[in-house]
Amino acid sequence: VALEFDDVSFGNVRGFSLKLHEGEIVGLGGLSGCGMHDVGRAAFGLEKIRQGRILRNGVEVKNPMTAIRNGIGYISKNRDTEALILQGSIGDNIALPCLDGIAKNGLIFTKDKNKLINGQIDLFSIKCRNGKQWVNTLSGGNKQKVSFAKWTAKGSEVFIMDCPTRGVDVGVKQSMYALMEEMKKEGKAILMISEELSELIGMVDR
């Protein structure tokens, strides 16, 4: 079990239980406002829990810092306001969750940082001049690729994906689906939240 909701209540959600396993994609579907987006936020420690526990490897997830330290990445539905720093570079967005991992004795070397950033730009085929280009100049699809890249760069094992293909074109959608299948083969656990039933039918195990 990679992530567990144990009889959790928060907001309008009551007594919610779910086990997400390694190498599995679990889907939550419905309309906006039904509570599924709140489940994603809770998994990343963004909701105040009234009852129950959310567990990752025996550790209770109470805030985003705990979630990140325990290998959880969160791709928000609200890309421009929650997932990315628009007035920042592609490189800074990708490297931000990873700084503790690439720092040596408290120092971050440009060579190490650029290697990490360029590797993710190549992996996701992000269309840009270079890693210094600002995120707010990118298309919706390339912004979403940066949202994914920051957590794969971090080495996250559990991915909370809230409407991961929202506002992107068909070509980018296909590449996102292929990436998710590859992540699943690698043993990553994915909680996929979507308002598109066809997307869930095509992608999820449960």
Side-chain angles (χ1 to χ4, degrees):
V1 176
L3 185 69
E4 179 178 4
F5 290 79
D6 180 17
D7 193 27
V8 179
S9 295
F10 53 90
N12 294 321
V13 178
R14 298 181 183 179
F16 180 80
S17 295
L18 173 72
K19 289 183 179 180
L20 174 65
H21 299 87
E22 294 176 0
E24 179 182 48
I25 303 175
V26 170
L28 286 180
L31 301 174
S32 270
C34 72
M36 63 180 185
H37 302 301
D38 298 328
V39 170
R41 290 173 54 81
F44 197 61
L46 291 167
E47 293 287 337
K48 186 176 181 180
I49 305 300
R50 298 194 311 272
Q51 171 191 309
R53 300 180 302 165
I54 299 172
L55 301 170
R56 163 70 177 149
N57 290 339
V59 177
E60 191 169 353
V61 179
K62 293 185 176 181
N63 54 61
M65 189 60 70
T66 302
I68 293 169
R69 285 175 177 166
N70 286 277
I72 300 175
Y74 174 58
I75 298 168
S76 172
K77 168 188 170 186
N78 303 311
R79 180 174 58 225
D80 289 356
T81 56
E82 294 184 349
L84 298 169
I85 302 170
L86 295 181
Q87 304 295 327
S89 70
I90 296 167
D92 286 343
N93 272 270
I94 291 173
L96 188 58
C98 314
L99 294 180
D100 57 342
I102 59 175
K104 296 176 181 176
N105 298 320
L107 298 175
I108 296 169
F109 293 92
T110 303
K111 182 181 177 182
D112 296 333
K113 182 180 174 184
N114 287 342
K115 183 179 178 181
L116 175 82
I117 293 164
N118 292 330
Q120 293 301 309
I121 289 173
D122 291 341
L123 176 65
F124 285 91
S125 300
I126 299 170
K127 294 179 181 177
C128 61
R129 293 188 300 275
N130 52 52
K132 295 179 180 179
Q133 185 174 338
W134 278 26
V135 170
N136 63 2
T137 65
L138 300 176
S139 66
N142 283 293
K143 284 179 182 176
Q144 191 68 333
K145 287 179 180 180
V146 176
S147 298
F148 270 71
K150 65 191 284 188
W151 297 117
T152 57
K154 176 65 177 172
S156 299
E157 296 292 330
V158 177
F159 289 81
I160 312 301
M161 299 184 179
D162 195 346
C163 297
T165 63
R166 186 183 192 187
V168 304
D169 63 37
V170 174
V172 174
K173 275 191 178 186
Q174 293 301 322
S175 65
M176 293 295 182
Y177 296 150
L179 174 69
M180 290 170 68
E181 286 291 344
E182 191 61 35
M183 292 164 76
K184 175 181 156 181
K185 289 176 184 176
E186 293 172 358
K188 313 289 188 189
I190 299 172
L191 178 61
M192 184 179 184
I193 301 163
S194 178
E195 297 164 15
E196 296 183 36
L197 186 57
S198 59
E199 181 172 73
L200 290 173
I201 291 170
M203 287 301 301
V204 307
D205 300 301
R206 289 193 289 135

